[in-house]
Amino acid sequence: MTTAVVGAPGSARRYLHSLWLLSARDLKVRYATSALGYLWSILDPLVMSAIYWFVFTLIFQRDGIGGEPYIVFLLVGLLPWVWFNASVIDFTKAFRKDAKLVRSTAIPRSIWVGRIVLSKGIEFLFSIPVLILFALFAQPRVQWNPLILLFPLGIVLQAVLLVGLGLLMAPLCALWGDLERTTRLILRALFYASPIIYGLSDLPSPFHEIALFNPLSGIFTLYRSGMFPEEWNPLAVAVAAAMSLAFLVLGALVFRRLEPSVLKEL
C-alpha cells in the first residue's frame, strides 16, 4: 500500500500537509499512554486558576485588581499563557529532540517550529469550551459585548508572535545549550510581568506604559475585552501587532542565517 503524495516538492500544499502530519503525531504521542487524555490540556490552567482564586479572594484582599468573576478573569489569561509557555519551552529543544529527522528530511526546517505552535495551539482551542462553561455559570456577572469578536484575532496574533519567537529561539538554543535554562528563568519572570493575575488597567504609571511593550499585554487584551470591557486598550493591541510582526521578521532573518550552522552542529 503506497501513501499518496500531497503537493509538489517545495509547494505550500506539501508544507502544510507535512506540518499537519507532524503536529498530529505530536498530539498522538502526547496522549497515547494518557488515561486522562484531553483533560491534561485543561488541568494545569484549572489548578493554577483555583490556587490564585483561593489566594487572592479568600486569603488576601485584591482591592479591585482584576475583573469579576475573578475565576473567569484568571482563566482568560492562564489558558493562552499555557499555550505560550509550553511552546517557548519546546522551542529550546525543537531541533535536538528530533535531530536525525531534521538532518535527513528535505522539508523546510522551519516546520519544526510550526508544528510546536500548531499542536500547542490545538490544545489551547480544546480548552476554550471550559472557559465558555465557566463564563456561562458566572452569568450575569460576565459582561458579554461585541469585542468578543476580537477573540480569534488574539489567537492569530499569538500564533504570529510564537512563530517569530520559535524561528529566533530554535536555532540559537541548538547552538548554545545554556539558553534553555535561561529561557525558563525568563518565563518565570514574564508570567508575573504579564497581565495574567491582574489586568493592564490595574497597573499604575509608569508600569502601565512599560507593560505596553510586552506583546502579551495586547494579546490578552483581545482575549479579555469581550467579557471584561474595561480591559480594552487599542494602544496595547497596536503595539502587540507591531511587535509580533517584528519578531516574525527578525526570527525569519535569524533562522535563515543560522540554519547551516545548526545542521552542522546536529
Side-chain angles (χ1 to χ4, degrees):
M1 181 178 178
T2 59
T3 303
V5 177
V6 177
S11 66
R13 188 181 180 191
R14 172 75 68 87
Y15 183 92
L16 292 174
H17 180 68
S18 301
L19 176 63
W20 172 251
L21 288 178
L22 288 171
S23 301
R25 187 201 70 167
D26 284 351
L27 291 171
K28 288 178 181 178
V29 170
R30 179 176 173 84
Y31 297 120
T33 59
S34 171
L36 294 178
Y38 160 73
L39 292 178
W40 282 117
S41 63
I42 60 173
L43 192 58
D44 184 48
L46 278 177
V47 171
M48 291 175 66
S49 298
I51 291 172
Y52 284 113
W53 174 84
F54 178 79
V55 170
F56 290 113
T57 60
L58 300 182
I59 298 180
F60 298 109
Q61 295 297 323
R62 290 185 290 121
D63 295 327
I65 295 176
E68 292 293 345
Y70 190 55
I71 188 68
V72 176
F73 184 87
L74 284 171
L75 277 172
V76 184
L78 283 170
L79 290 175
W81 168 259
V82 169
W83 177 20
F84 180 86
N85 184 72
S87 297
V88 171
I89 289 175
D90 279 5
F91 291 155
T92 63
K93 49 192 175 183
F95 290 139
R96 294 188 179 277
K97 184 178 179 181
D98 292 311
K100 291 183 179 180
L101 281 175
V102 174
R103 290 196 309 266
S104 59
T105 55
I107 57 177
R109 272 77 187 189
S110 60
I111 207 169
W112 301 99
V113 169
R115 65 157 191 170
I116 294 173
V117 178
L118 181 57
S119 61
K120 301 300 181 185
I122 291 173
E123 291 181 345
F124 168 66
L125 293 177
F126 284 166
S127 69
I128 291 178
V130 177
L131 171 62
I132 296 174
L133 191 62
F134 270 82
L136 291 176
F137 274 114
Q139 293 286 14
R141 289 183 294 165
V142 173
Q143 303 176 39
W144 298 97
N145 65 84
L147 290 174
I148 195 67
L149 298 176
L150 295 178
F151 196 98
L153 179 59
I155 297 175
V156 172
L157 206 57
Q158 184 167 345
V160 171
L161 174 63
L162 284 171
V163 170
L165 287 174
L167 293 174
L168 179 64
M169 294 176 56
L172 290 174
C173 291
L175 295 174
W176 295 284
D178 288 343
L179 289 178
E180 182 175 348
R181 292 184 178 180
T182 304
T183 299
R184 292 179 181 273
L185 291 175
I186 293 174
L187 284 172
R188 290 177 188 175
L190 187 60
F191 175 84
Y192 293 101
S194 301
I196 299 173
I197 59 178
Y198 56 86
L200 186 61
S201 59
D202 298 320
L203 292 173
S205 184
F207 300 107
H208 177 86
E209 289 74 19
I210 295 173
L212 289 176
F213 291 94
N214 177 356
L216 292 179
S217 296
I219 292 172
F220 291 163
T221 293
L222 291 170
Y223 288 133
R224 278 192 171 130
S225 297
M227 289 176 278
F228 303 93
E230 67 277 5
E231 293 299 315
W232 173 242
N233 189 317
L235 179 58
V237 174
V239 172
M243 293 190 67
S244 297
L245 290 174
F247 271 114
L248 182 62
V249 173
L250 177 62
L253 293 174
V254 171
F255 191 91
R256 183 179 298 179
R257 180 75 176 270
L258 296 182
E259 184 178 358
S261 299
V262 171
L263 294 176
K264 291 180 181 179
E265 181 71 19
L266 296 178

